[in-house]
Amino acid sequence: MSNLGGVKFKVTAIANNTFKGSKIQKLTVGKYVTQIGKNAANGCFDLKSIKIKSKVLKKIGSKAFYNINENAKFKVPKNKLSKYKKMIKKAKAPKKAKITK
């Protein structure tokens, strides 16, 4: 849940190009997120830590994690490690990136 002006929202998706080229260093994907859009974090060279809390993630768009920090660390739910690892690699995460539970 996100809180904006005292109103709570259930975030279910991260749109295309949401953080593209920004200076973010950490990203937490909430537990209700079902998809991450194309180029969502493309070009976020400082992005080193990505925590995926969602167990209902169905899709990660192309190049969502392209050109992030080459030593980025992904933390995913234990029972989704294999599935999410494939999705993250397909989204062009750096080859040196670590994906753990």
Side-chain angles (χ1 to χ4, degrees), residues 1-77:
M1 293 281 206
S2 288
N3 191 332
L4 180 64
V7 179
K8 289 187 178 185
F9 295 91
K10 187 188 284 189
V11 178
T12 59
I14 297 173
N16 296 345
N17 305 307
T18 299
F19 303 106
K20 188 175 182 179
S22 74
K23 301 278 184 200
I24 62 169
Q25 296 177 353
K26 292 182 181 181
L27 175 63
T28 300
V29 177
K31 67 181 181 178
Y32 301 110
V33 174
T34 59
Q35 68 178 22
I36 298 171
K38 293 187 293 186
N39 298 305
N42 186 343
C44 296
F45 301 109
D46 298 326
L47 183 56
K48 296 177 186 167
S49 174
I50 302 94
K51 184 174 185 177
I52 300 176
K53 292 182 176 181
S54 176
K55 293 180 182 176
V56 293
L57 189 61
K58 303 269 188 263
K59 182 180 179 187
I60 300 176
S62 65
K63 296 187 177 179
F65 297 114
Y66 187 66
N67 281 332
I68 64 170
N69 189 284
E70 68 177 11
N71 296 311
K73 293 179 182 167
F74 289 82
K75 186 168 178 154
V76 302

